[in-house]
Amino acid sequence: MVVWQERGARVVTVTGQLDVDNVAPLDETLRKAAQDGVAPVVVDLSAVTFADSTTVNVLLRAHTALGPALRLATPSAFLERLFALTGLDTVLPLHDSVAEAIDAEPSSPLGADGGDRET
């Protein structure tokens, strides 16, 4: 996991498999961002090859804690399918790129329901 600042946003890039054994650093980073009042927080998911229910729960808790400050960018094909199958694509704030996620207005509609992503 790599974390950096870009244009006022905290960007978190995660790679590989995210599961019960290794999702804790992402969870801690997102919890700390919520405690610190950091906004926005962009999670780049483009290189995630697998995620389990623990990862889904981490993202949902972060969404609850951060609200519109949490923005998920470039979900991998695996995650797009997972989010679509579970309906999370209508709940979680998905964006086509890190730049788009950084620039998104907090009040803009989120997820496939709101039209941020083309289907």
Side-chain angles (χ1 to χ4, degrees):
M1 182 173 67
V2 179
V3 181
W4 77 94
Q5 293 293 125
E6 183 174 331
R7 294 186 286 131
R10 181 172 295 172
V11 180
V12 181
T13 298
V14 289
T15 61
Q17 297 187 6
L18 294 176
D19 57 32
V20 68
D21 293 326
N22 61 14
V23 76
L26 175 62
D27 188 28
E28 182 60 32
T29 297
L30 296 175
R31 286 177 192 256
K32 181 145 178 44
Q35 289 171 347
D36 295 346
V38 172
V41 177
V42 176
V43 182
D44 178 0
L45 299 167
S46 61
V48 174
T49 58
F50 175 82
D52 68 359
S53 61
T54 307
T55 305
V56 170
N57 285 325
V58 165
L59 295 174
L60 287 172
R61 278 194 308 271
H63 179 63
T64 299
L66 290 160
L70 176 68
R71 299 161 189 185
L72 306 180
T74 60
S76 65
F78 176 86
L79 286 178
E80 281 189 344
R81 181 164 166 71
L82 176 65
F83 292 162
L85 287 172
T86 59
L88 291 174
D89 59 346
T90 63
V91 177
L92 295 174
L94 304 175
H95 299 277
D96 290 326
S97 69
V98 170
E100 178 186 297
I102 291 170
D103 294 338
E105 294 294 324
S107 60
S108 68
L110 302 174
D113 214 24
D116 272 346
R117 293 178 55 83
E118 294 180 23
T119 55

